Amino acid sequence: QVQLVESGGGLVQAGGSLRLSCAVSGSIFSINRMGWYRQAPGKQRELVAMTTSGGVTNYADSVKGRFTISRDTAKNTVYLQMNSLKPEDTAVYYCNINARRGVLQFYNDYWGQGTQVTVSS
């Protein structure tokens, strides 16, 4: 069983900061990429930021320069530092990993339960 436990969401005023964490536990052999998605009411889930095992990072244009994704490989944890938050960043944020559970296993996507981020104007 693979579990992703997110923390760090909450209510913040515009211009403020939050740091999300996602701790991965369970039987994991290797993780290819780790990332954060978000879904606002009435909208589709979208990629916010992603980091690969090779150190490549990608960000949505809307968060570039404000959000930073980082990864602690030893702890199997991924973080999202969010600065200069805007009301339009309000959404449920989901942690995602692409990982395999054994050397002969395929890579699969795993998701956290989501954490609410609300930015007030």
Side-chain angles (χ1 to χ4, degrees):
Q1 192 77 358
V2 176
Q3 287 188 320
L4 282 66
V5 179
E6 299 135 334
S7 60
L11 173 65
V12 65
Q13 288 189 331
S17 298
L18 284 174
R19 188 192 193 208
L20 305 183
S21 300
C22 173
V24 180
S25 63
S27 179
I28 291 286
F29 177 75
S30 65
I31 299 176
N32 177 28
R33 61 179 185 270
M34 307 179 84
W36 291 92
Y37 288 72
R38 68 186 180 187
Q39 187 167 19
K43 295 187 177 181
Q44 289 188 330
R45 190 174 297 189
E46 62 175 359
L47 174 69
V48 177
M50 181 180 62
T51 180
T52 71
S53 59
V56 176
T57 57
N58 287 308
Y59 294 92
D61 288 342
S62 59
V63 307
K64 283 181 181 177
R66 300 188 298 123
F67 290 11
T68 302
I69 190 170
S70 60
R71 173 177 178 174
D72 187 329
T73 302
K75 295 182 179 180
N76 271 352
T77 300
V78 62
Y79 305 95
L80 185 68
Q81 178 66 43
M82 304 186 294
N83 299 327
S84 303
L85 283 160
K86 304 176 181 180
E88 50 264 43
D89 294 318
T90 295
V92 178
Y93 284 69
Y94 296 91
C95 177
N96 166 264
I97 66 169
N98 182 256
R100 57 178 174 171
R101 301 184 65 183
V103 64
L104 297 179
Q105 300 293 316
F106 289 107
Y107 281 94
N108 289 302
D109 281 330
Y110 300 89
W111 294 89
Q113 80 284 357
T115 184
Q116 177 71 46
V117 171
T118 302
V119 184
S120 63
S121 58

